[in-house]
Amino acid sequence: MKKIPVKPLWWHNGLYVIDQRKLPEKEVILKLDTIKKVYDAIKNLKIRGAPLIGCVSAYGVVVSFIENENLPLEKLKNKIKKDIEILKSARPTAYNLFYALNRMEKVVNMFNGDSKKNLKKLLIKEANNIYKEDLHACYKIGEYGNALIENGMNILTHCNAGGLATSGFGTALAPIYVANQKGKKIHVYVNETRPVLQGARLTSWELEKNRISYTLICDNMAGYLMSKKRIDIVIVGADRVARNGDTANKIGTYSLAVLANYHKIPFYVAAPLSTFDFNIETGEEIIIEQRNEDEIKKINGKYICPKNTYVFNPAFDLTPNYLITGFITEKGILKTEDIKNLGG
Amino acid sequence: MKKIPVKPLWWHNGLYVIDQRKLPEKEVILKLDTIKKVYDAIKNLKIRGAPLIGCVSAYGVVVSFIENENLPLEKLKNKIKKDIEILKSARPTAYNLFYALNRMEKVVNMFNGDSKKNLKKLLIKEANNIYKEDLHACYKIGEYGNALIENGMNILTHCNAGGLATSGFGTALAPIYVANQKGKKIHVYVNETRPVLQGARLTSWELEKNRISYTLICDNMAGYLMSKKRIDIVIVGADRVARNGDTANKIGTYSLAVLANYHKIPFYVAAPLSTFDFNIETGEEIIIEQRNEDEIKKINGKYICPKNTYVFNPAFDLTPNYLITGFITEKGILKTEDIKNLGG
């Protein structure tokens, strides 16, 4: 495995994460040692990005164990399962949350032993597996995606689907990291990504840290750049992909996909299989989270509009499969048809 | 003439404007009594919007007269003409600036009398004419545009092409004001318009003041709303229109036009003829202003990205004629072919 670009979480007798609300100004480390803190970190975007939400929630189940380890085994198991339900309610769209928590729940349900110590070991092992699998998947995404990137290319990305959104290698940024490590000359255009500005705050920070050439733009500038032939490829992440390839991702992704289609620019979604929800046929079944109006109305604590203003604030939108050129996954670059077959 | 929705400038023995950088928080009135102040107000967006820039620059020439009226007549005329050149350099894209200043310059050049008092009268008269013509043109735009708006419609607009961008009635907002005055039930979606947030700060403020129902969105949400069939028509303003109908307007307009085209939603540009530059054949000849990087990098004085970040900050983009359904002008709703004929 190559050098990891960013380390947004680690387990060292406890769960530690970077508080992403504080970036790029400060690197603040949080210890998430109660289920309340884990829930709050996910809910309030201290950590975000579908694969990272998966990893943090998995370790969150270990946190639940430690917080309650004085309970008798059966009560402990029930408490952990209740905490899993709480974590599942933190955010509705990112599939990795459910994927990871379902795997952790299975460990609890399958456990027949009578040693709490053994249950703890198994929970830590499964959380570690989820973490390592994500690291591996993201690196494979990087390797497969790298084949799409030619020397001298200008790549547009939206939001942060980088190391900070995953175990450390990123999804949409993984091909960029691999291409850079292999010495290709590339340039990244970063959409600032209103309202929470994950592009400006996080993607810029990551690319800066990894010395990759980039330019920050406002979301409404991407079309103009495309019309000037200054974008060669668009790569975005995903929060949930349905069996037919319809993709929920950060609000603004759909507009980019339409713009890319109009300008005949390839549009790729990079995501590990843990983001694919094989239980749903189409994107219409995906719940789109509506977030607090103050995310739009206030910036740095100050109103940017009249206080009574009514706003619409969906965190995600839905991009239909026919606007997506392909999916960059750890199994290779897939077309819509391939996804159905994978899901069995 | 119907009630004017907003009064962004007035002449009362001097030139007064609302400082639009302070809205919506505070309504601050500025007296622009030196050419330096007029230049600064235009350059630094204290006043903005192509038709308003035209009106303010016209009265700015009167300010130049008053500032220099102790000079002998010929020296005074030369000084005024120098100040006109200074004002022309304040911003490169909005055509109304050149349209209005060329008219004022003509008054100076044509003046054969020897009474400074008479020159002053003629300058005030021409500035008043430019102002009144704009007021009339915008109201006619409102009346013609109103015919496109049906009861119950959802209208999307970008930036601020309202009363604040003109003599008081607006361009893109004029049809909305007229439809509202005629009792039609309408709803306006307002793009916040990064980086300077004219939609959030100014359009919201105007609509709120005029009790018109509206919802503020981030620029990257428009496509999603269109996909959900929640937008019936898009109306935007213009900073300059070429003879072939290519239109320079606030950055983000082009993306909206592509999105509207994809979703088969009518896309109209509302502008008085003073915004049409009949000297240029296509939009390729229009200079697109590049603005300061801090407009993107800082919000309310605080960085939203690493300090070294490189940004791209065009104030406008170019929408080709074939993406524009029609032009709402004081002469009626025009198609591209009609513009050429108007220009002679």
Side-chain angles (χ1 to χ4, degrees), chain B residues 53-271:
Chain B
I53 291 172
C55 295
V56 168
S57 66
Y59 285 116
V61 176
V62 184
V63 170
S64 167
F65 179 99
I66 295 171
E67 210 183 352
N68 300 290
E69 62 187 326
N70 290 334
L71 294 176
L73 181 61
E74 279 312 305
K75 282 198 174 165
L76 175 59
K77 281 165 75 176
N78 284 334
K79 181 69 172 83
I80 292 173
K81 291 202 297 191
K82 272 186 194 157
D83 283 350
I84 286 173
E85 291 312 306
I86 289 172
L87 291 182
K88 278 185 183 173
S89 73
R91 296 193 71 191
T93 308
Y95 186 61
N96 307 60
L97 178 69
F98 306 96
Y99 169 85
L101 289 172
N102 287 340
R103 278 179 62 172
M104 297 302 287
E105 197 170 16
K106 215 169 180 178
V107 172
V108 180
N109 285 335
M110 303 277 279
F111 185 71
N112 288 322
D114 51 13
S115 151
K116 286 196 277 184
K117 211 170 154 187
N118 281 346
L119 175 57
K120 185 178 177 185
K121 261 190 198 159
L122 288 170
L123 288 172
I124 291 180
K125 195 181 161 201
E126 188 67 348
N128 282 338
N129 285 343
I130 288 168
Y131 170 79
K132 281 185 211 154
E133 283 164 27
D134 188 67
L135 212 52
H136 180 73
C138 288
Y139 188 71
K140 294 299 286 182
I141 287 170
E143 281 193 321
Y144 284 118
N146 171 48
L148 300 170
I149 297 177
E150 289 166 32
N151 204 38
M153 264 194 177
N154 288 293
I155 305 152
L156 175 68
T157 190
H158 188 60
C159 194
N160 173 267
L164 286 170
T166 63
S167 50
F169 222 94
T171 54
L173 295 193
I176 289 164
Y177 286 130
V178 173
N180 182 59
Q181 285 177 7
K182 293 198 187 291
K184 289 181 190 169
K185 271 199 114 161
I186 48 174
H187 187 79
V188 184
Y189 282 99
V190 178
N191 266 355
E192 64 174 3
T193 318
R194 280 281 289 148
V196 182
L197 297 164
Q198 293 94 335
R201 296 193 297 107
L202 307 178
T203 300
S204 299
W205 180 81
E206 269 196 58
L207 294 175
E208 183 89 20
K209 217 175 160 78
N210 286 279
R211 296 166 176 267
I212 292 172
S213 159
Y214 71 98
T215 301
L216 178 65
I217 60 170
C218 298
D219 302 330
N220 63 26
M221 295 171 182
Y224 181 58
L225 280 172
M226 290 180 183
S227 78
K228 293 285 179 196
K229 300 191 190 308
R230 284 169 69 175
I231 306 291
D232 299 303
I233 186 171
V234 182
I235 311 179
V236 298
D239 286 80
R240 192 184 295 216
V241 182
R243 270 171 74 94
N244 74 341
D246 290 352
T247 297
N249 190 45
K250 179 57 54 202
I251 185 71
T253 302
Y254 171 72
S255 291
L256 279 188
V258 171
L259 288 165
N261 179 268
Y262 184 82
H263 294 93
K264 299 185 174 50
I265 295 167
F267 183 92
Y268 284 91
V269 169

Side-chain angles (χ1 to χ4, degrees), chain A residues 57-74:
Chain A
S57 68
Y59 285 115
V61 176
V62 184
V63 170
S64 167
F65 179 99
I66 295 171
E67 209 183 357
N68 299 291
E69 64 187 325
N70 290 333
L71 293 175
L73 183 60
E74 279 312 304

Side-chain angles (χ1 to χ4, degrees), chain A residues 24-25 158 189 192-195 197 200-201 204-205 208 214-225 227-228 230 251-255 258-259 261-263 284 288 290 296-297 299-300 302-306 308-314 316-318 322-323, chain B residues 24-25 158 189 192-195 197 200-201 204-205 208 214-225 227-228 230 251-255 258-259 261-263 284 288 290 296-297 299-300 302-306 308-314 316-318 322-323:
Chain A
E25 227 185 326
H158 189 60
Y189 282 98
E192 63 174 5
T193 318
R194 280 281 290 148
L197 296 165
R201 296 193 296 106
S204 299
W205 181 81
E208 183 88 22
Y214 71 99
T215 301
L216 178 66
I217 60 171
C218 298
D219 302 330
N220 63 26
M221 296 170 182
Y224 181 58
L225 280 173
S227 78
K228 294 284 178 196
R230 284 169 66 175
I251 185 71
T253 302
Y254 171 72
S255 290
V258 170
L259 287 165
N261 179 267
Y262 183 82
H263 295 92
E284 291 305 315
I288 299 291
Q290 300 291 326
I296 295 182
K297 290 171 72 172
I299 303 181
N300 293 335
K302 210 176 147 187
Y303 280 100
I304 60 159
C305 61
N308 295 331
T309 295
Y310 183 75
V311 303
F312 173 61
N313 187 17
F316 307 99
D317 61 24
L318 200 66
Y322 51 81
L323 290 176
Chain B
E25 228 185 325
H158 188 60
Y189 282 99
E192 64 174 3
T193 318
R194 280 281 289 148
L197 297 164
R201 296 193 297 107
S204 299
W205 180 81
E208 183 89 20
Y214 71 98
T215 301
L216 178 65
I217 60 170
C218 298
D219 302 330
N220 63 26
M221 295 171 182
Y224 181 58
L225 280 172
S227 78
K228 293 285 179 196
R230 284 169 69 175
I251 185 71
T253 302
Y254 171 72
S255 291
V258 171
L259 288 165
N261 179 268
Y262 184 82
H263 294 93
E284 291 306 316
I288 300 291
Q290 300 290 326
I296 295 182
K297 291 171 73 172
I299 304 182
N300 293 334
K302 211 177 146 187
Y303 280 101
I304 60 160
C305 60
N308 295 331
T309 295
Y310 183 75
V311 304
F312 173 61
N313 187 17
F316 308 98
D317 60 23
L318 201 66
Y322 51 82
L323 290 175

Side-chain angles (χ1 to χ4, degrees), chain A residues 218-327:
Chain A
C218 298
D219 302 330
N220 63 26
M221 296 170 182
Y224 181 58
L225 280 173
M226 289 180 184
S227 78
K228 294 284 178 196
K229 302 195 188 306
R230 284 169 66 175
I231 306 292
D232 300 303
I233 187 171
V234 182
I235 311 179
V236 299
D239 285 80
R240 192 184 296 218
V241 183
R243 270 172 72 94
N244 74 341
D246 290 351
T247 296
N249 190 45
K250 179 57 55 202
I251 185 71
T253 302
Y254 171 72
S255 290
L256 279 188
V258 170
L259 287 165
N261 179 267
Y262 183 82
H263 295 92
K264 299 188 173 46
I265 296 167
F267 182 92
Y268 283 91
V269 170
L273 293 179
S274 53
T275 302
F276 288 68
D277 183 354
F278 297 108
N279 300 313
I280 58 171
E281 289 302 322
T282 77
E284 291 305 315
E285 296 173 59
I286 301 175
I287 296 164
I288 299 291
E289 179 181 7
Q290 300 291 326
R291 293 189 61 87
N292 191 288
E293 58 171 24
D294 279 352
E295 280 186 358
I296 295 182
K297 290 171 72 172
K298 286 182 184 176
I299 303 181
N300 293 335
K302 210 176 147 187
Y303 280 100
I304 60 159
C305 61
K307 287 184 189 168
N308 295 331
T309 295
Y310 183 75
V311 303
F312 173 61
N313 187 17
F316 307 99
D317 61 24
L318 200 66
T319 301
N321 54 17
Y322 51 81
L323 290 176
I324 299 167
T325 312
F327 296 86

